[in-house]
Amino acid sequence: MTESTQTKNPTPASVQGPAGGHEPPHEPAAMLRPNSLTGNIQPRWFLPACAAVSLLLSFALVVLLGDAEEFSINWALWFVFAAVIHLVLAYVITLVRINRRKAKDMFWRNLIYVAFTLALLPLVSVIMSVAIVGFQGLTNAGFLTSDMQGINASTDAGTQEGEHGVLGGIRHAIIGSLVITLMATLVSVPIGLLTSIYLVEYSQGGPLSRAITFFVDVMTGIPSIVAGLFGAAAMASFLSFADSLGIPVPGRSTMGVTAAIALSVLMIPVVVRTTEEMLRVVPNELREASYALGVRKWRTILKVVIPTAISGIAAGVTLSIARVIGETAPILLTAGFATRVNWNPFEGWMTTLPVFIYQQFTRPMHPTFHDPSFQRAWAAALILILIVMGLNLIARIIATIFAPKKTGR
């Protein structure tokens, strides 16, 4: 019986192992040969290689389509051609080597990369242009430590003729920008923060909270020139009322504090919106744990909620400052234009960096020789960008210092 069973069911020699055991049939050698392109993922060098090939092919297309007599490169067309070729090339290779699902995934991933690069190019271009052109004006002697007092058309004519370098500076504009922005921040941040705390912690969705939300949305879309008109009209009305009461007031409403009021109208809705979102992100469990320990609500907000959201609040304040520090129209209406340093925001005209840039570009000191004025304008633009970058750095430092510390057990 045993012999017949062994005769009817013989074990193939190719399946038996060396010790008499059983092994699965061997697959062809081609199926076992490792190849990253035929696997489920592309190699790491695939996307950079596709980008390099796309740049070369697009460069050849731009050269062929350009003027044969005058060699010039259309950078925008080069980028468009490179992006299209990169998308098509990566999709086709992935489709052939792997499958359709991976090809679609690769296409949409590359489309996101292209969109990010497209959004980043204007920013990089602006920063590079301002840095390259503005650095020349920044190296002029006394540019950061002097103002425009005594600078006229004959001064720029002497500069153009080589008698001396570019004279005049932006000290008065830097001081005006910092003073006006600081005053606007001191007005806007407390109002915006308290409004956000009320909307998140105290309001119950009643008519008042809905009205506040509506007006904040309306204020977000107010043009800056309207804010300037409001600031000028409000200050003129206040000075007229104070004068009727016999209170000594400045003769004109055009001064730094008027500009600060106008800028606060633009800052408050940004502070309210960003702070409100950050306060809503704070987990309710933290509030409930504080209430369970018997801590009052105002102390919970002060010691738990605000420290938890301080990084977002700092970012919102910085965003609001960046929103207004580059405004020109409301400053022209409310603070005017001055050529000397003015530390007093309650009397006299003041100049900010955006207004200084506008004046130097649109109204050069000399009607024929524009280069000195343009140098001052580009250098002032570079300083304005550096100030905004410095504010962002300060906001990150503040957020790091006051953020809740992670402690382990």
Side-chain angles (χ1 to χ4, degrees):
M1 185 70 179
T2 305
E3 295 178 357
S4 60
T5 304
Q6 292 178 354
T7 305
K8 291 180 181 179
N9 301 298
T11 303
S14 60
V15 181
Q16 292 180 355
H22 297 278
E23 292 182 356
H26 292 288
E27 296 183 358
M31 299 292 292
L32 299 178
R33 184 169 61 248
N35 191 339
S36 59
L37 284 178
T38 58
N40 198 28
I41 58 174
Q42 297 282 24
R44 295 181 178 179
W45 51 263
F46 175 70
L47 285 180
C50 284
V53 172
S54 303
L55 289 173
L56 292 175
L57 293 177
S58 62
F59 179 78
L61 283 176
V62 171
V63 172
L64 291 175
L65 296 176
D67 191 357
E69 298 179 357
E70 182 180 355
F71 180 77
S72 61
I73 299 176
N74 189 332
W75 299 101
L77 193 61
W78 185 13
F79 175 78
V80 172
F81 282 166
V84 174
I85 294 173
H86 179 70
L87 291 174
V88 174
L89 186 63
Y91 176 81
V92 172
I93 293 177
T94 308
L95 179 64
V96 173
R97 293 291 185 176
I98 304 181
N99 52 43
R100 185 180 297 274
R101 182 177 64 84
K102 283 290 182 180
K104 290 182 178 180
D105 177 74
M106 183 66 68
F107 175 81
W108 289 108
R109 182 186 303 177
N110 289 329
L111 189 62
I112 293 174
Y113 292 157
V114 170
F116 173 75
T117 306
L118 182 63
L120 197 63
L121 279 178
L123 176 62
V124 175
S125 176
V126 169
I127 293 177
M128 290 184 60
S129 300
V130 175
I132 293 173
V133 182
F135 184 76
Q136 181 181 0
L138 196 61
T139 57
N140 295 327
F143 182 73
L144 297 177
T145 58
S146 61
D147 53 26
M148 296 296 292
Q149 190 74 18
I151 306 299
N152 49 35
S154 61
T155 306
D156 283 359
T159 301
Q160 197 72 24
E161 294 172 359
E163 298 177 1
H164 49 74
V166 178
L167 301 179
I170 58 171
R171 179 169 175 259
H172 62 302
I174 293 176
I175 293 174
S177 293
L178 295 180
V179 170
I180 291 175
T181 306
L182 178 62
M183 291 189 65
T185 303
L186 293 177
V187 173
S188 305
V189 172
I191 295 176
L193 181 60
L194 293 176
T195 303
S196 302
I197 291 174
Y198 170 77
L199 292 176
V200 176
E201 303 294 337
Y202 290 97
S203 73
Q204 302 296 329
L208 180 58
S209 62
R210 291 197 298 269
I212 293 174
T213 303
F214 173 76
F215 285 115
V216 167
D217 293 338
V218 172
M219 291 174 64
T220 304
I222 288 180
S224 59
I225 189 67
V226 176
L229 290 172
F230 168 79
M235 181 55 66
S237 301
F238 173 77
L239 294 180
S240 176
F241 176 74
D243 185 57
S244 64
L245 297 179
I247 301 174
V249 294
R252 301 184 62 177
S253 62
T254 307
M255 49 188 174
V257 66
T258 310
I261 294 173
L263 294 184
S264 64
V265 175
L266 301 175
M267 289 183 66
I268 289 175
V270 180
V271 175
V272 171
R273 275 302 180 197
T274 54
T275 306
E276 181 183 0
E277 294 300 326
M278 291 301 105
L279 293 178
R280 292 188 187 279
V281 170
V282 177
N284 286 328
E285 288 79 4
L286 296 177
R287 300 181 178 89
E288 294 171 357
S290 179
Y291 298 153
L293 294 174
V295 181
R296 296 191 177 187
K297 189 167 187 174
W298 68 269
R299 195 170 183 83
T300 299
I301 295 171
L302 188 63
K303 296 294 185 179
V304 177
V305 177
I306 293 180
T308 305
I310 189 63
S311 60
I313 294 173
V317 172
T318 305
L319 180 63
S320 65
I321 294 175
R323 164 77 171 83
V324 302
I325 199 171
E327 291 292 342
T328 306
I331 306 299
L332 278 173
L333 287 175
T334 55
F337 178 75
T339 58
R340 59 181 179 82
V341 176
N342 180 17
W343 287 94
N344 187 5
F346 297 96
E347 185 176 0
W349 289 8
M350 298 185 73
T351 299
T352 60
L353 282 170
V355 174
F356 179 85
I357 297 169
Y358 172 78
Q359 291 286 345
Q360 292 296 312
F361 267 119
T362 58
R363 299 176 182 176
M365 302 300 296
H366 197 282
T368 305
F369 305 133
H370 298 167
D371 289 344
S373 295
F374 288 173
Q375 281 194 27
R376 299 187 195 100
W378 281 105
L382 178 58
I383 293 297
L384 185 60
I385 291 177
L386 292 177
I387 290 175
V388 174
M389 294 176 64
L391 290 173
N392 280 274
L393 180 61
I394 292 173
R396 291 181 179 274
I397 294 174
I398 293 175
T400 304
I401 293 175
F402 292 99
K405 303 298 187 294
K406 295 182 179 180
T407 58
R409 292 184 177 180

